[in-house]
Amino acid sequence: MVDIHCHILHGIDDGAENFDTSFEMAKLAVESGTTEIFATPHANIPDTECINTSATVSEKVNSFNEILVREGVPLKIYTGCEIFAAGDFIKLLKKGNLLTLNNSNYVLVEFDFFEHHASVFMKLEELLSEGYIPVVAHPERYAFIEEDENCINIIKNMGCLIQCNKGSVTGRFGHSAKFIAHEMLVREQVDFIASDAHSSRMRTPILTDAYQMVCELYNKDYADLLFDINPRKILNHEKI
Ligand SMILES: [Fe+2]
């Protein structure tokens, strides 16, 4: 499996709190069948120090990969970030200050949980017009989707992709997020399921429980598409 959303790097956002946690997360991922992870620290969060430029993330990914090789952990980390869509984020992307996923044209993007749908649509259109393909992180957790699920159709019809959190699929984020995630799964609107892991204990990188659930409730081909085939297309810069 390939995890496209994971806060595995330490000392960079609210993810892994130290090196030991990062390393523990890597081992958990491997034990549960993940072979590649996109490191996606929060970036461009307003009113914080959480800028996380390309140079910072790339440097941390390189040194973590070196350690994984040295320690014999069969996991490869790729660069990325979870870009908070605010301010000059598109300008920063174009200048190369913010990272796409593995330097592709796919961009993992998040919004304020209470952002108005019109503002979300406008930012997504702007990204698309600049040639990026937005991968909308965990829409099942946003208020505007809870209020009107048709917004997902609009986002999909624009040409954006949808990433659900494994915790939403299994119910960790509550009834509403689980309900919406499964509504989207039934309608085949989901393109990826990722861990959005922040630690090795609470929000872990283990994907197996959600994978099994999708196999049982839907089918194995669908699970493979969401956990492996589509994520791998981002790795290889292929069209989805
Ligand atoms: Fe995240």
Side-chain angles (χ1 to χ4, degrees):
M1 289 183 279
V2 181
D3 189 355
I4 70 158
H5 184 167
C6 188
H7 300 263
I8 193 168
L9 300 177
H10 67 279
I12 194 164
D13 65 353
D14 61 345
E17 56 186 1
N18 52 38
F19 171 76
D20 288 349
T21 304
S22 291
F23 195 64
E24 197 59 34
M25 288 169 79
K27 286 193 291 186
L28 279 178
V30 168
E31 282 162 19
S32 59
T34 297
T35 46
E36 287 99 350
I37 286 179
F38 290 87
T40 52
H42 292 290
N44 197 46
I45 304 271
D47 305 321
T48 69
E49 296 298 308
C50 199
I51 304 299
N52 289 336
T53 60
S54 306
T56 314
V57 178
S58 301
E59 201 181 300
K60 281 184 175 280
V61 166
N62 288 340
S63 60
F64 195 43
N65 272 326
E66 281 172 19
I67 293 167
L68 292 175
V69 169
R70 197 166 64 225
E71 298 296 323
V73 180
L75 178 73
K76 177 123 192 235
I77 311 292
Y78 290 86
T79 53
C81 49
E82 181 179 15
I83 299 174
F84 194 94
D88 287 337
F89 78 108
I90 294 179
K91 245 189 228 167
L92 292 170
L93 258 171
K94 286 171 72 179
K95 282 203 307 192
N97 291 3
L98 292 174
L99 284 167
T100 62
L101 294 170
N102 190 30
N103 300 313
S104 65
N105 56 347
Y106 294 100
V107 175
L108 183 67
V109 62
E110 69 169 333
F111 297 90
D112 185 284
F113 281 93
F114 298 101
E115 189 149 348
H116 192 271
H117 62 83
S119 166
V120 172
F121 296 162
M122 197 179 67
K123 289 170 182 174
L124 291 173
E125 286 291 7
E126 212 179 327
L127 266 174
L128 286 157
S129 72
E130 293 291 345
Y132 296 106
I133 301 170
V135 176
V136 179
H138 42 62
E140 72 278 5
R141 301 186 65 199
Y142 296 139
F144 76 96
I145 300 290
E146 198 177 347
E147 282 158 20
D148 181 3
E149 277 190 54
N150 186 46
C151 288
I152 285 292
N153 288 324
I154 296 169
I155 288 173
K156 291 287 293 184
N157 289 337
M158 279 179 192
C160 302
L161 300 171
I162 299 296
Q163 177 259 306
C164 274
N165 278 7
K166 62 125 181 186
S168 303
V169 174
T170 57
R172 188 202 180 275
F173 293 115
H175 175 75
S176 174
K178 184 177 182 183
F179 180 80
I180 296 169
H182 285 275
E183 288 273 296
M184 292 193 295
L185 283 164
V186 167
R187 293 195 293 255
E188 299 189 354
Q189 292 172 314
V190 181
D191 301 287
F192 314 94
I193 295 176
S195 73
D196 195 5
H198 280 65
S199 80
S200 55
R201 287 167 194 269
M202 294 289 285
R203 292 172 67 180
T204 75
I206 297 170
L207 291 173
T208 33
D209 45 354
Y211 176 84
Q212 286 301 339
M213 197 172 186
V214 175
C215 285
E216 282 162 26
L217 293 176
Y218 306 93
N219 60 68
K220 185 177 181 302
D221 285 349
Y222 195 22
D224 288 339
L225 184 76
L226 303 179
F227 288 88
D228 192 78
I229 295 170
N230 281 344
R232 216 165 274 289
K233 285 185 177 168
I234 295 186
L235 270 187
N236 299 326
H237 298 201
E238 291 168 0
K239 198 173 177 327
I240 294 171

